[in-house]
Amino acid sequence: MSKMIMMKTVAPALLAAAMFAAGASMAEAGWKRSGGGTGPHGGSWSSSGSGSCAGGTCSSNQAFVGPNGGVTTRNGSTTCSGGTCSSNATVTGPRGNTAKRSGSISRY
């Protein structure tokens, strides 16, 4: 499970950081998304997220509501400076357990 959380939390933030470092501009006004669906056993789920970038730092927050009403959240940020981008995120599960993830990527 930790590998899955790592991929879902750190990888998107590092991708955003890499794009940012490479010169891809992101609107300072930010972004929002939402979605949902029905699982194979008829349970529904929903998700939402938002984020923004300014001054070399991008921040994002997401929430996922599962079919039983449990909520999982992710809050994170990525900062780029001098060719290195560092990412930190906290994931909080429906029972209040937290996982913290961090990582960095550098240009050659």
Side-chain angles (χ1 to χ4, degrees):
M1 179 157 160
S2 65
K3 185 176 181 181
M4 180 177 261
I5 289 173
M6 177 73 138
M7 292 300 292
K8 288 186 176 183
T9 59
V10 175
L14 289 177
L15 176 60
M19 289 172 49
F20 187 79
S25 65
M26 296 179 166
E28 287 189 15
W31 57 269
K32 291 183 180 183
R33 67 160 182 82
S34 62
T38 303
H41 301 289
S44 62
W45 60 272
S46 64
S47 67
S48 62
S50 63
S52 62
C53 296
T57 299
C58 296
S59 299
S60 65
N61 304 292
Q62 292 86 34
F64 175 84
V65 181
N68 295 325
V71 178
T72 297
T73 60
R74 179 205 171 272
N75 300 300
S77 65
T78 300
T79 301
C80 296
S81 177
T84 298
C85 296
S86 300
S87 176
N88 294 291
T90 300
V91 177
T92 304
R95 294 188 181 110
N97 297 329
T98 61
K100 296 183 184 257
R101 299 286 183 250
S102 62
S104 63
I105 188 169
S106 297
R107 292 186 294 203
Y108 285 97

